[in-house]
Amino acid sequence: MVAGIICIAWTVLLYATGQNPFGPKRLMSIFVAPLAAVLAEWQLRKRHRELATLGRQLLVGVLTVVLTALLAATGMYGLARMTGPKLIEQNRREMEQVVRAERANFMKEKGGEEQYERTLASIAATPQGLAMDEFSKKLILGLLLAVPGAIFLRR
């Protein structure tokens, strides 16, 4: 829960300081979920070493990542609803400019045109889209790092 609150606080801090809370700087909090999962797995091993089997370590890691991602996405949704559509539209325009500036790099790759179009289409334009983007990024990276942490920290 603390990790999710940290993610929300980071987004609110970006908004309070006049930064774009939906832009690339919010991704700096993406490592909070995996860090929280590994920390929770480490605490399980430290406090209950006899219970620290691979299955329990995985369960603790996955549960921590899901709760962190869910809380962070809820905070993102609430902030997006509070700030209104004007800021979301501004973010969408900024992200489109970034993607269009990288068009040449997309075209160098095989299937680059389709990837370019998918990237443009996937830019979130609603509070639900922003929350889903926040949830999915934190969940995927969190699970990718929680699994090796559970394997390493098992008894």
Side-chain angles (χ1 to χ4, degrees), residues 129-154:
L130 288 167
M132 194 61 178
D133 184 52
E134 182 83 356
F135 179 79
S136 62
K137 286 182 178 169
K138 285 197 175 16
L139 185 69
I140 290 169
L141 185 65
L143 292 176
L144 283 176
L145 295 177
V147 171
I151 293 169
F152 179 73
L153 292 170
R154 71 183 190 277

Side-chain angles (χ1 to χ4, degrees), residues 95-96 98-100 102-123:
M95 296 307 289
E96 281 180 354
V98 169
V99 171
R100 286 195 173 105
E102 293 294 319
R103 186 166 199 253
N105 291 333
F106 279 104
M107 297 307 145
K108 291 177 185 176
E109 299 175 17
K110 185 178 179 181
E113 181 68 34
E114 294 83 24
Q115 185 178 0
Y116 173 75
E117 293 299 327
R118 274 192 310 252
T119 303
L120 270 179
S122 70
I123 297 173

